[in-house]
């Protein structure tokens, strides 16, 4: 009887240890789908002219609170002077409209408000956490007049761990570009402007993401 009791205690101890030493994963890879919207001289409403977009992404988890994300997104920007409610004298009275393809490349820093995990791989970790992010990016617009410019993405979102290796997220970001030509027209007011973001175009991105975790962290390495 003592042997059986001792064996059960040893098994319970082992299970308890294993429950607290599940793998922490350093990397995630996946993608997303959502909506992209232009904001500038020819559109001032967040919900007008939204176009579909797709994303491929890789995330490097530094710890349960911080991560870096590299993403490439492709979509379209659409606008119409008739929806802007503004008259542009330099356009000669002809309504201007555009629909251009865009490629966005970005590197962002993410901060989780709560430690993110399954609850077994980090003390107090939660499956659901809100997060914020900021970074640097590049915007490429194709068309008759191609545009390549830098942008600053700033956003927020939620992450939820649906399994040990699967993660789902919903995030929204505003991308502040350094160019006033994403819509194909520069300064339609005809008034010179100064400043890094003065009279420049931007675009918003709302997307749902799904990622797969890999590269488990070595829990027995002293250097980690």
């Amino acid at each position: 009887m003592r042997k059986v009791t001792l064996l059960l205690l040893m098994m319970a101890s082992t299970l308890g240890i294993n429950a607290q030493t599940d793998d922490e994963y350093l990397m995630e890879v996946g993608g997303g789908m959502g909506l992209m919207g232009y904001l500038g001289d020819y559109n001032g409403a967040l919900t007008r002219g939204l176009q579909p977009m797709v994303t491929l992404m890789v995330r490097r988890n530094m710890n349960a609170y911080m991560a870096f994300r590299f993403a490439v997104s492709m979509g379209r920007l659409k606008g119409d002077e008739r929806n802007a409610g503004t008259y542009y004298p330099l356009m000669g009275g002809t309504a201007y409209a555009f629909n251009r393809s865009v490629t966005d490349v970005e590197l962002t820093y993410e901060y989780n408000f709560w430690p993110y995990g399954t609850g077994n791989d980090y003390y107090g970790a939660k499956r659901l956490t809100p997060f914020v992010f900021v970074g640097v990016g590049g915007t490429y617009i194709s068309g008759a007049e191609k545009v390549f410019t830098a942008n600053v993405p700033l956003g927020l979102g939620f992450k939820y761990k649906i399994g040990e290796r699967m993660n789902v997220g919903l995030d929204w970001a505003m991308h502040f570009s350094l160019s006033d030509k994403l819509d194909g027209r520069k300064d339609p007011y005809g008034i010179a402007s100064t400043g890094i973001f003065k009279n420049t175009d931007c675009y918003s991105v709302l997307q749902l993401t799904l990622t797969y975790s890999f590269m488990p962290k070595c829990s027995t390495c002293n250097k980690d």
Side-chain angles (χ1 to χ4, degrees):
M1 184 64 179
R2 290 182 179 179
K3 292 182 178 181
V4 174
T5 303
L6 180 60
L7 179 61
L8 290 175
L9 290 174
M10 292 176 61
M11 292 177 62
S13 176
T14 302
L15 290 175
I17 293 173
N18 290 336
Q20 296 300 320
T21 57
D22 286 353
D23 287 332
E24 294 181 49
Y25 296 96
L26 299 178
M27 300 291 295
E28 296 176 29
V29 63
M33 298 181 65
L35 297 171
M36 177 181 288
Y38 155 83
L39 285 170
D41 298 314
Y42 300 101
N43 183 36
L46 277 172
T47 57
R48 182 184 295 141
L50 297 178
Q51 301 295 301
M53 51 84 65
V54 295
T55 297
L56 296 176
M57 57 179 286
V58 176
R59 178 181 283 123
R60 172 63 162 88
N61 296 305
M62 308 305 294
N63 52 49
Y65 284 95
M66 297 182 293
F68 286 94
R69 182 176 73 177
F70 176 77
V72 179
S73 302
M74 292 167 285
R76 302 192 70 84
L77 298 181
K78 182 179 181 180
D80 194 321
E81 182 181 349
R82 290 167 293 187
N83 296 326
T86 303
Y87 173 71
Y88 298 106
L90 297 184
M91 296 298 102
T94 302
Y96 175 69
F98 69 94
N99 190 342
R100 315 183 75 187
S101 63
V102 56
T103 300
D104 176 273
V105 180
E106 65 181 47
L107 176 64
T108 56
Y109 165 78
E110 300 178 348
Y111 179 79
N112 304 323
F113 286 98
W114 302 325
Y116 181 62
T118 61
N120 296 326
D121 53 5
Y122 187 90
Y123 180 75
K126 300 180 183 298
R127 289 183 177 271
L128 175 67
T129 182
F131 69 99
V132 293
F133 58 96
V134 64
V136 293
T139 304
Y140 174 73
I141 305 289
S142 63
E145 184 178 359
K146 297 177 174 59
V147 177
F148 180 75
T149 184
N151 76 78
V152 177
L154 177 64
L156 51 85
F158 291 89
K159 301 175 185 176
Y160 181 71
K161 186 170 284 292
I162 58 179
E164 183 182 351
R165 288 177 177 258
M166 300 302 298
N167 312 272
V168 65
L170 178 67
D171 61 74
W172 177 84
M174 185 64 72
H175 294 250
F176 299 93
S177 83
L178 304 186
S179 172
D180 188 37
K181 299 183 69 175
L182 300 188
D183 48 26
R185 293 288 188 272
K186 181 178 180 179
D187 193 19
Y189 290 103
I191 302 174
S193 61
T194 59
I196 188 171
F197 292 117
K198 184 68 173 180
N199 198 32
T200 59
D201 298 325
C202 55
Y203 52 95
S204 64
V205 171
L206 174 67
Q207 64 177 340
L208 182 69
T209 63
L210 181 67
T211 61
Y212 176 79
S213 300
F214 66 101
M215 193 181 294
K217 179 180 179 180
C218 177
S219 59
T220 60
C221 296
N222 291 330
K223 64 180 181 180
D224 290 336

